[in-house]
Amino acid sequence: MATLAPPGQPVPPARRPRTARSRTAPWRRAVRYLALTAVLLVMVGPFLWQLSTSLKGATEDIYTYPPKLLPSSPTLDNYRSVADIIPVWDYALNSVKVAVSSVLTNVLGSAMAGYALARLRFRGRATAALVFVLALLVPVEAIMIAQFATMRELDINNTLVAVVLPGCIGAMNVLLMRNAFNNIPYEVEEAAIVDGANVWQRFTRVALPAVKGTLAVVAIFAFMGAWDDFLWPLIVLSDSDNFTLTVGLNYLHGTFSNNQRIVAAGTIIAVAPLIVMFACLQRYFFRGVGEGAVKG
C-alpha cells in the first residue's frame, strides 16, 4: 500500500517488483549459458569443421593434434576438384528442380487440404484427418517398394517426376496447415460470407494471408526434405544425367574416400542452399511455428 510523504518532502520512488529474472541466481544463469554453448558447439561444430577441411590445401595435415580449425593457407582448389570429378552443377540443377517442385506442390496441396479439413463441413472429415495422422506412423522404407512399382507402372521411372511425386504432399504439412487455419477466428470468415464471398475467395483472400508463417514453415520443410533425400532418388534414378546432388556426391565417397578435403567441399556445396533459404525465411519460420503448432 502506497504511503504519503510529509508536506515539503519529495515523494520516495516506488519500488519495482522483483521479476523472475532478477530472482534467478547467478550460478543458475551461468549453467544455462554453459548448456546453450555446449548445444551450439554440438550443432554447429561439425559444420565448421567440414568448412575448415574444405578450405585446407593438399599440403596441410587435417589429422593434426590438437585440431586446427583455421586453415593456414585457405584455398578453393577442393571446390574446383569437385566440379572436375563430377558434373556438380548439373546435379545441383536437378536438385533445384526437384526441391522447387516439392515446395510448390506441398504449399498448394497442403494449404487446400488443410483448409478443407479445418473449415469445410463434409461427411468423413474426421476420418480423413485421422488418416493423415496414421500416415505419419508408417515408415517410408515400408512403402518404398510399392512406390517403385507404382512409378514403373506409370512408366515414369528414371525421371525427376518420379522423385517428386511420392512426396508432393506431406501428411505433416497438411496437419500443420489444418491447425493454422483452425486458429483463425470464425468471425473473420463469417464477415466474408456476409459480403458474398464464396469458398475459394475466402480461402485465397482471407485464410491464406493469415497463415503466411505456416506456409513458410511448410516451404522450408518441403525444400529440406527434397534437397536432402538420398535413398529414394538412388532407387528410382538409374541415368546419371538425372541424378540429384545427394546421389551424385556419393561418387566422392566411393572413388575419392581418402581425400576428405574434396568430400568436405562437396558437403558444403550441398548444405549451402539450405542455409541461405533458412536465413531468408527465418522470420516467417518462427512466427509460423506458433501458428501451426499441433494442439494437445
Side-chain angles (χ1 to χ4, degrees):
M1 186 173 180
T3 58
L4 297 177
Q9 293 186 6
V11 178
R15 293 183 178 180
R16 295 182 178 179
R18 298 186 67 183
T19 61
R21 182 169 182 173
S22 61
R23 290 195 299 267
T24 304
W27 69 269
R28 291 180 180 271
R29 247 182 288 174
V31 171
R32 291 177 184 175
Y33 284 123
L34 287 175
L36 290 175
T37 303
V39 172
L40 178 66
L41 292 176
V42 171
M43 300 297 293
V44 182
F47 171 77
L48 294 179
W49 180 253
Q50 287 289 86
L51 178 62
S52 172
T53 304
S54 68
L55 296 175
K56 292 180 179 179
T59 59
E60 189 170 353
D61 186 10
I62 62 176
Y63 300 105
T64 183
Y65 186 83
K68 290 177 57 179
L69 184 62
L70 298 178
S72 57
S73 300
T75 178
L76 297 177
D77 290 340
N78 297 318
Y79 293 90
R80 300 189 188 96
S81 299
V82 172
D84 293 337
I85 296 168
I86 60 174
V88 63
W89 306 120
D90 294 338
Y91 295 160
L93 180 60
N94 292 336
S95 290
V96 169
K97 293 177 182 178
V98 171
V100 171
S101 300
S102 180
V103 169
L104 293 178
T105 54
N106 271 280
V107 168
L108 295 177
S110 300
M112 290 189 288
Y115 183 80
L117 293 175
R119 294 305 200 194
L120 302 185
R121 298 293 183 266
F122 57 91
R123 183 177 299 176
R125 187 181 67 158
T127 304
L130 180 61
V131 169
F132 281 104
V133 174
L134 295 177
L136 298 176
L137 305 178
V138 180
V140 177
E141 294 79 8
I143 60 175
M144 199 159 287
I145 297 177
Q147 289 179 350
F148 180 79
T150 303
M151 298 302 113
R152 187 174 57 185
E153 290 296 326
L154 295 175
D155 198 21
I156 57 175
N157 260 9
N158 195 31
T159 64
L160 296 181
V161 176
V163 179
V164 177
L165 192 58
C168 61
I169 300 178
M172 175 59 75
N173 296 333
V174 173
L175 295 177
L176 284 174
M177 296 305 305
R178 172 180 175 269
N179 284 277
F181 286 125
N182 273 333
N183 290 334
I184 302 175
Y186 279 97
E187 292 78 6
V188 177
E189 289 199 32
E190 289 176 353
I193 294 174
V194 172
D195 292 337
N198 56 31
V199 175
W200 183 254
Q201 289 172 334
R202 298 199 304 269
F203 171 66
T204 56
R205 300 181 182 181
V206 177
L208 276 183
V211 294
K212 291 181 180 178
T214 307
L215 289 174
V217 173
V218 171
I220 291 175
F221 283 169
F223 189 92
M224 293 178 61
W227 187 272
D228 286 338
D229 194 12
F230 171 74
L231 183 58
W232 174 243
L234 181 66
I235 293 174
V236 78
L237 297 177
S238 57
D239 187 358
S240 60
D241 292 337
N242 294 328
F243 281 176
T244 57
L245 187 58
T246 52
V247 178
L249 290 177
N250 190 46
Y251 284 111
L252 298 180
H253 292 275
T255 308
F256 295 90
S257 57
N258 292 329
N259 194 341
Q260 294 300 322
R261 301 172 183 83
I262 297 179
V263 174
T267 303
I268 297 301
I269 292 174
V271 172
L274 300 179
I275 298 175
V276 173
M277 182 181 183
F278 184 81
C280 296
L281 298 179
Q282 61 174 335
R283 180 179 62 178
Y284 301 101
F285 177 82
F286 291 110
R287 187 178 72 182
V289 170
E291 289 178 355
V294 179
K295 296 180 181 179

